[in-house]
Amino acid sequence: MARKKRGSRTLERAQIRLDGIQSIDQKLDAGGGYTAPGYLKLISRLRSEISAYNTALSNVDALTNKVAETEKQLAEYSERMLLGVASTYGKDSREYEMAGGTRKSERKRSSRRTAVAAS
């Protein structure tokens, strides 16, 4: 499942506000170091950071899929290795247990309870 990519309402609002400010004056200085070019620079920085974040999420999704696929392959390989040990030594052997299997003689058998008919 792909991770949800990120957007920013703050970025959208700032871009609309910047468009309005630039229609007044391209180099508006609001005082205190707040200028239209500085505003544009900060908007651009956030846009590139969000883009990098979303790209990283896509890369993580791709790696997650690779890990899941390799995990499935390893599980299949493990199962076949255990079956190979079982076919060579038997399912009740010490070697089968050493390879990670449960010996046939050590498996718990479920007891079936029959319902007693009420008289």
Side-chain angles (χ1 to χ4, degrees):
M1 185 171 123
R3 288 169 173 75
K4 188 175 179 191
K5 305 302 185 259
R6 183 177 173 139
S8 174
R9 284 191 56 95
T10 303
L11 178 63
E12 294 169 12
R13 289 178 181 162
Q15 184 62 55
I16 291 169
R17 183 161 293 155
L18 176 64
D19 292 341
I21 289 170
Q22 286 181 332
S23 68
I24 297 169
D25 183 3
Q26 291 280 331
K27 298 180 182 180
L28 182 72
D29 188 348
Y34 294 96
T35 63
Y39 198 32
L40 175 61
K41 186 176 179 180
L42 193 55
I43 289 170
S44 297
R45 188 172 103 199
L46 179 57
R47 185 174 288 121
S48 67
E49 287 175 358
I50 289 174
S51 178
Y53 175 83
N54 289 336
T55 301
L57 284 182
S58 295
N59 291 336
V60 168
D61 289 339
L63 288 172
T64 300
N65 292 339
K66 282 183 181 180
V67 166
E69 181 60 33
T70 305
E71 212 169 34
K72 286 179 188 177
Q73 291 173 351
L74 181 59
E76 176 69 23
Y77 204 100
S78 293
E79 182 180 357
R80 288 180 182 257
M81 289 298 292
L82 185 60
L83 288 174
V85 170
S87 68
T88 304
Y89 298 100
K91 286 191 174 183
D92 201 32
S93 68
R94 202 172 35 96
E95 290 83 2
Y96 184 73
E97 186 176 34
M98 289 169 61
T102 303
R103 294 172 78 172
K104 200 172 187 179
S105 62
E106 293 178 2
R107 289 193 182 130
K108 292 183 181 178
R109 294 195 172 82
S110 62
S111 60
R112 295 183 182 241
R113 295 181 183 171
T114 57
V116 178
S119 51

